[in-house]
Amino acid sequence: MKECLQEEVLQSYLDGELHERRREQVTSHLASCITCSDLTRQLEQENSVLAAALAPEFEAAVPSERLRQRIDAAIAANRLEAVAGNERAVNVRDWLSSLSDLFTLRPQRTLAYASLMVIIGFGVIMAMMRWQTTPLQSTNPVVATFPPAPNQEPTTTPAPISSVPSSAPARTNSTITAVPNNRRRRSTAVIAPASSRQNETAANHVKLLPGERSYLQTIAQLDLTIKSDKGRMKPDVQAEYQRNLAFVDRTLAVARTAAKSNPNDPDATEFMFSAYQSKVDLLNTVAEARVIDKPK
Amino acid sequence: MKFKVVIISFLLVLPASVAYADGHGGKSGTQKIERSIAALPTVAVSICVDSGDVTVRGWDKNEVLARSSEVGRIELKRPDAGNQSAAANKVLVWLADKSEEPNEKGGCHAFGDVELIVPRGASLYLQTGDGTIDVRGVASVFARSETGDISIQKASRSVEALSFSGEISVENSTGRMAMKSVSGVVSAANLRPNDQNDCFEASTISGDIQLDGVDHQQITLKTANGKIDLSGPLAHQGRYTFNTTSGDVTLSLPANSSFRLNARVARDREVTSDFPLTLTIEDPVPVLPRLPNPAPPAPPAPAPRTIVKANPEAKDQVVVVIDPQEKTIKVKPVTVKTLYSLRRISAVHGSGDALITIASFTGTIHLIDSGN
């Protein structure tokens, strides 16, 4: 007779945890050993009793399974995030490495960088020039260049030009708040900064003599025409034009001051209008010179 | 091996062909192109170049001839699409640069000097950007140059010349004259009208205006900052109007000149005259207080006059302040300095045949006796 099996071996036998060969050996031993077979029956009874008693606990294992699934899902998610993080890190590393590669100067790349710097520099210069030009235009409207008359007489509340259509007839003792031209006024309104309000206030005190408005309108229109076509003007013509314009403006300022100082002197007024006409003639000549395209 | 031979052959042939092309182009560059067309004696000829001198001469043939050694092509087009075999009454001289294709528009865009020979009765319409215009012996001229000089001689019917900064010169011509420049000098000499309606007009901004021997009855000169100089005899019953803003006006007149002078100058400017002038200065009209029952208006009293007569003993110029209260001042030569309130000066010399009206804001008026 063979030696009886230990209880742990039998328990493992009942739990199905033995290998196939060992299980066959135990089965043949239980067939020939009454003691071991009785012990096995007792263990089976205890297992059934224990299973009945722990049945609720076995049911409660389901949430644990779901929990495990959730945990597995969370772990999987963490793994994905970790993988994604690794990928981002790899991307950043790649980007940084590519960026550092950009600064690795080779002859072709150096040439390209130099061209790019030239273009950027040119753009910056043009932007600065435009930025500097715009405030100048806004603070120097055509009519604001006239000096205020030294002996201005008090007048009734004048109507500002900005409230009068450009086609309106000349009105006595009007004040200047903008260039008397619709298109020009619009552009002036756009470029006039709030800081130029003081200049506008000063210009409000410049009183127009009868007939001045029409000259100012004509001058503004001609000036606009010339400026719109300024690119075609040859440099020497441009210089000559500016020189003569300075002459005319200076003369006009003097004549206007005299006319304002002597409001009852028709000769002074006539000289002022003569100076205005000189400016119109100059602008007309320049504007006409632009249209040499083909013979009539 | 074959490939190397082809490459080497190509490299050898290429410079040779370029050199041949250059040589061929150089030959054509010196070649003078000439075109002509039969035209009426009063044909109208127009030409426009972007840069280049335009020279025009009149001849006795009824033919328009154009030639140039600098442009690529010359065409004499007839805008009057009538009978192409008849003589043309309008001719457009069309120029094209060597670089232009045949279908390009040419015209005012061409560069190069051009010479035209036209009938003496022709009317010309000439434009150039920065070249000079030189015309002699035609009937009518319209000439416009941006920066180049314009010279016109022996025009028989009319002259109209415009220049931005170039000098305008017209001599020995007859008919109506009009000249306009911004900063160029305008000079005219020996000009006569064809009839009484022919007038002479010239205006500048900063250029001087110089007239010598201009016989037109009506002369109008205007400049902003330039000077006006006129010399020569005055036309019978001539009307002279001179307007400057800051430039001086100098009239050099023969001793036997007869004129009336209406001058307006600034209060601190002078009128100097070698001629004995009879001045007439109007006093300002007094403002009378309003009365409750005004009496019937009295007839206007004659304005007091101040007379300046010649003083043969005086040798040097004397500055005389004309006061309305003064009646007679005798000096010769006389220099008249206006008072604060006196801006208009009316004066007569001789019988007052011609009328001279001068307005100069800050300039000085000089009347010089040239002695002839």
Side-chain angles (χ1 to χ4, degrees):
Chain A
M1 170 173 173
K2 292 183 179 178
E3 188 177 354
C4 283
L5 298 172
Q6 293 181 354
E7 185 177 347
E8 290 83 3
V9 173
L10 293 175
Q11 186 64 45
S12 298
Y13 173 76
L14 293 174
D15 292 335
E17 293 177 350
L18 296 177
H19 293 290
E20 187 177 2
R21 185 178 177 184
R22 180 63 178 162
R23 190 167 63 241
E24 289 175 356
Q25 291 175 353
V26 172
T27 300
S28 60
H29 178 78
L30 290 176
S32 59
C33 179
I34 297 173
T35 304
C36 289
S37 110
D38 290 343
L39 183 60
T40 301
R41 277 196 294 271
Q42 288 179 358
L43 289 172
E44 281 180 341
Q45 289 174 355
E46 288 174 1
N47 285 342
S48 59
V49 171
L50 190 61
L54 297 176
E57 293 295 329
F58 289 147
E59 292 293 329
V62 176
S64 299
E65 188 64 27
R66 290 174 182 167
L67 179 61
R68 186 163 60 244
Q69 289 176 355
R70 286 203 302 270
I71 291 169
D72 291 343
I75 291 170
N78 284 336
R79 284 176 179 171
L80 285 175
E81 285 182 0
V83 169
N86 288 336
E87 286 179 352
R88 276 198 297 270
V90 169
N91 287 338
V92 170
R93 278 197 300 272
D94 291 345
W95 185 78
L96 287 174
S97 63
S98 64
L99 192 65
S100 63
D101 188 45
L102 286 176
F103 291 101
T104 304
L105 297 180
R106 287 184 291 234
Q108 292 177 344
R109 189 166 290 169
T110 304
L111 188 62
Y113 283 155
S115 304
L116 189 62
M117 292 296 288
V118 168
I119 292 172
I120 291 173
F122 183 72
V124 169
I125 290 171
M126 292 298 293
M128 290 180 65
M129 287 174 65
R130 179 163 293 188
W131 179 74
Q132 289 176 348
T133 303
T134 303
L136 283 176
Q137 288 174 347
S138 63
T139 55
N140 290 318
V142 173
V143 292
T145 57
F146 300 126
N151 296 333
Q152 289 177 1
E153 294 180 353
T155 57
T156 56
T157 305
I161 289 176
S162 58
S163 64
V164 180
S166 61
S167 58
R171 188 182 299 181
T172 306
N173 295 329
S174 297
T175 57
I176 299 172
T177 56
V179 178
N181 177 275
N182 277 341
R183 286 187 297 173
R184 181 65 179 243
R185 188 189 324 141
R186 193 183 308 126
S187 63
T188 303
V190 170
I191 61 179
S195 60
S196 68
R197 195 164 298 165
Q198 190 175 358
N199 291 338
E200 292 177 2
T201 306
N204 284 336
H205 295 294
V206 179
K207 305 294 188 298
L208 288 181
L209 293 171
E212 271 194 278
R213 186 196 303 270
S214 59
Y215 276 106
L216 291 174
Q217 287 174 347
T218 305
I219 288 169
Q221 289 171 356
L222 287 170
D223 189 54
L224 202 64
T225 302
I226 293 170
K227 282 180 178 172
S228 67
D229 205 13
K230 214 169 185 176
R232 290 179 54 199
M233 200 181 293
K234 295 175 181 174
D236 50 350
V237 175
Q238 169 77 14
E240 201 67 23
Y241 164 60
Q242 294 295 341
R243 189 176 70 87
N244 283 276
L245 190 63
F247 277 150
V248 172
D249 281 340
R250 197 160 51 237
T251 305
L252 182 56
V254 174
R256 194 173 189 281
T257 302
K260 295 291 289 183
S261 304
N262 303 277
N264 297 322
D265 189 342
D267 289 339
T269 305
E270 190 171 329
F271 275 122
M272 183 192 71
F273 286 135
S274 178
Y276 268 121
Q277 188 59 48
S278 295
K279 183 164 185 175
V280 170
D281 290 344
L282 171 62
L283 297 176
N284 257 327
T285 304
V286 175
E288 285 175 2
R290 305 290 86 227
V291 293
I292 299 180
D293 283 332
K294 58 182 180 180
K296 293 177 182 176
Chain B
M1 184 62 185
K2 284 184 179 179
F3 183 72
K4 285 184 179 177
V5 170
V6 169
I7 292 293
I8 291 171
S9 302
F10 178 76
L11 293 176
L12 290 175
V13 168
L14 183 65
S17 59
V18 169
Y20 174 77
D22 286 344
H24 187 70
K27 279 184 181 178
S28 67
T30 58
Q31 192 174 18
K32 182 170 286 187
I33 302 173
E34 190 171 295
R35 298 286 183 272
S36 64
I37 186 172
L40 294 175
T42 57
V43 63
V45 181
S46 60
I47 185 173
C48 181
V49 294
D50 184 73
S51 178
D53 299 340
V54 178
T55 304
V56 184
R57 297 289 180 263
W59 65 357
D60 295 326
K61 294 183 181 178
N62 293 331
E63 181 180 327
V64 174
L65 184 145
R67 59 188 170 208
S68 173
S69 58
E70 297 183 353
V71 299
R73 285 188 304 139
I74 297 176
E75 290 184 19
L76 301 180
K77 296 186 175 182
R78 298 182 56 171
D80 54 327
N83 185 4
Q84 295 292 319
S85 61
N89 64 354
K90 288 183 181 178
V91 173
L92 168 63
V93 182
W94 189 91
L95 308 172
D97 288 334
K98 293 167 184 169
S99 59
E100 291 184 2
E101 295 296 324
N103 290 330
E104 290 191 53
K105 52 186 179 182
C108 288
H109 304 278
F111 291 77
D113 299 341
V114 182
E115 181 182 4
L116 298 178
I117 304 179
V118 300
R120 294 192 188 278
S123 299
L124 300 174
Y125 189 98
L126 314 170
Q127 288 189 98
T128 180
D130 55 7
T132 63
I133 295 176
D134 184 8
V135 182
R136 177 178 295 184
V138 299
S140 299
V141 182
F142 174 91
R144 177 154 73 178
S145 175
E146 208 165 62
T147 57
D149 296 341
I150 298 174
S151 173
I152 298 169
Q153 296 185 44
K154 295 183 178 178
S156 60
R157 193 187 309 155
S158 68
V159 171
E160 184 173 357
L162 309 173
S163 176
F164 191 85
S165 59
E167 181 176 337
I168 298 175
S169 171
V170 181
E171 295 179 358
N172 304 317
S173 299
T174 60
R176 182 178 57 83
M177 307 284 162
M179 300 157 206
K180 190 174 183 181
S181 175
V182 172
S183 57
V185 174
V186 173
S187 63
N190 300 323
L191 305 183
R192 288 182 294 107
N194 285 327
D195 56 50
Q196 290 185 345
N197 294 325
D198 287 342
C199 58
F200 183 100
E201 296 176 350
S203 67
T204 71
I205 298 296
S206 61
D208 296 341
I209 301 175
Q210 301 163 351
L211 272 61
D212 184 10
V214 178
D215 295 340
H216 291 69
Q217 274 193 318
Q218 189 168 341
I219 295 178
T220 304
L221 309 178
K222 181 184 178 186
T223 177
N225 298 78
K227 297 177 182 176
I228 291 178
D229 291 308
L230 181 142
S231 60
L234 297 174
H236 176 57
Q237 293 188 341
R239 298 290 180 268
Y240 299 84
T241 304
F242 307 132
N243 194 322
T244 75
T245 304
S246 61
D248 294 346
V249 178
T250 303
L251 308 181
S252 299
L253 306 173
N256 60 354
S257 297
S258 172
F259 58 88
R260 285 170 289 150
L261 174 67
N262 291 328
R264 287 178 295 165
V265 292
R267 59 177 68 99
D268 57 345
R269 294 296 163 172
E270 296 177 347
V271 178
T272 67
S273 173
D274 289 343
F275 297 93
L277 298 177
T278 299
L279 295 181
T280 300
I281 302 171
E282 294 183 1
D283 289 339
V285 179
V287 179
L288 300 175
R290 180 182 291 273
L291 300 175
N293 293 317
R305 296 175 184 278
T306 302
I307 302 171
V308 179
K309 291 184 178 178
N311 179 10
E313 287 77 20
K315 293 181 179 178
D316 299 326
Q317 282 200 340
V318 179
V319 176
V320 179
V321 177
I322 305 298
D323 191 294
Q325 301 303 320
E326 298 279 348
K327 295 303 179 185
T328 303
I329 300 172
K330 294 180 179 180
V331 289
K332 184 190 177 184
V334 62
T335 299
V336 180
K337 186 170 184 178
T338 58
L339 286 179
Y340 180 81
S341 60
L342 300 179
R343 310 186 74 160
R344 289 173 181 263
I345 298 170
S346 296
V348 176
H349 175 68
S351 61
D353 180 47
L355 173 62
I356 302 174
T357 303
I358 304 176
S360 180
F361 184 52
T362 59
T364 301
I365 298 172
H366 304 277
L367 299 177
I368 298 174
D369 184 354
S370 60
N372 299 325

